[in-house]
């Protein structure tokens, strides 16, 4: 029971992700009806094709939530470091190190998004 309480009280990061997942899931369900009400001539493929984007966003949010939960579960010291100390250490880096970290992170997110979108389509 204590383990379950610790999972549910992990902080504001997981609450934001749950809210995002719920919002995207709601949009995914409502979107085809919304498209049909705005454009009666929309073909059945239109809501489905456009819903693939929402599905990719949902998959990314679930991936982010599960990886953050795994980090907090398996390596809690790293999770604490990333929440409280990473920003101050990042500010003390040289500019080329900041750019390298930023571009590496951006490219990894871009490739993850592309792979999730390819998996859906």
């Amino acid at each position: 029971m204590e383990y379950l309480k610790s999972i549910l009280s992990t902080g504001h990061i997981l609450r934001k992700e749950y809210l995002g997942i719920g919002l995207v899931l709601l949009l995914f369900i409502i979107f085809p009806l919304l498209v049909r009400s705005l454009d009666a001539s929309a073909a059945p493929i239109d809501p489905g094709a456009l819903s693939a984007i929402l599905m990719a966003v949902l998959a990314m949010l679930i991936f982010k939530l599960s990886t953050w939960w795994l980090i907090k579960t398996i390596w809690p010291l790293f999770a604490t470091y990333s929440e409280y100390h990473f920003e101050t250490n990042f500010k003390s880096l040289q500019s080329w190190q900041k750019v390298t970290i930023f571009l590496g992170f951006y490219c990894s997110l871009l490739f993850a998004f592309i792979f999730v979108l390819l998996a859906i389509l």
Side-chain angles (χ1 to χ4, degrees):
M1 190 66 181
E2 292 297 321
Y3 178 70
L4 186 60
K5 285 181 184 177
S6 69
I7 290 173
L8 295 176
S9 65
T10 53
H12 66 282
I13 293 173
L14 292 182
R15 280 187 250 141
K16 287 180 186 176
E17 290 169 352
Y18 286 131
L19 180 64
I21 289 171
L23 180 66
V24 171
L25 202 59
L26 183 67
L27 281 173
F28 182 74
I29 294 170
I30 294 175
F31 188 75
L33 300 173
L34 184 66
V35 169
R36 289 288 181 145
S37 68
L38 294 176
D39 183 14
S41 65
I45 192 68
D46 293 340
L50 295 175
S51 295
I53 297 170
L54 290 173
M55 187 68 138
V57 170
L58 180 65
M60 287 296 293
L61 287 173
I62 290 173
F63 174 75
K64 185 176 180 248
L65 174 72
S66 61
T67 54
W68 186 248
W69 176 75
L70 280 172
I71 288 173
K72 281 189 163 264
T73 303
I74 295 171
W75 201 0
L77 185 62
F78 184 70
T80 304
Y81 170 77
S82 66
E83 284 182 26
Y84 300 111
H85 304 293
F86 180 75
E87 183 178 353
T88 56
N89 290 346
F90 185 77
K91 287 180 180 178
S92 68
L93 294 175
Q94 295 178 0
S95 60
W96 68 270
Q97 292 170 325
K98 290 179 185 178
V99 169
T100 303
I101 291 172
F102 174 76
L103 287 177
F105 182 71
Y106 178 77
C107 287
S108 66
L109 283 178
L110 178 67
F111 287 134
F113 177 74
I114 289 170
F115 289 142
V116 168
L117 195 58
L118 283 173
I120 291 173
L121 297 177

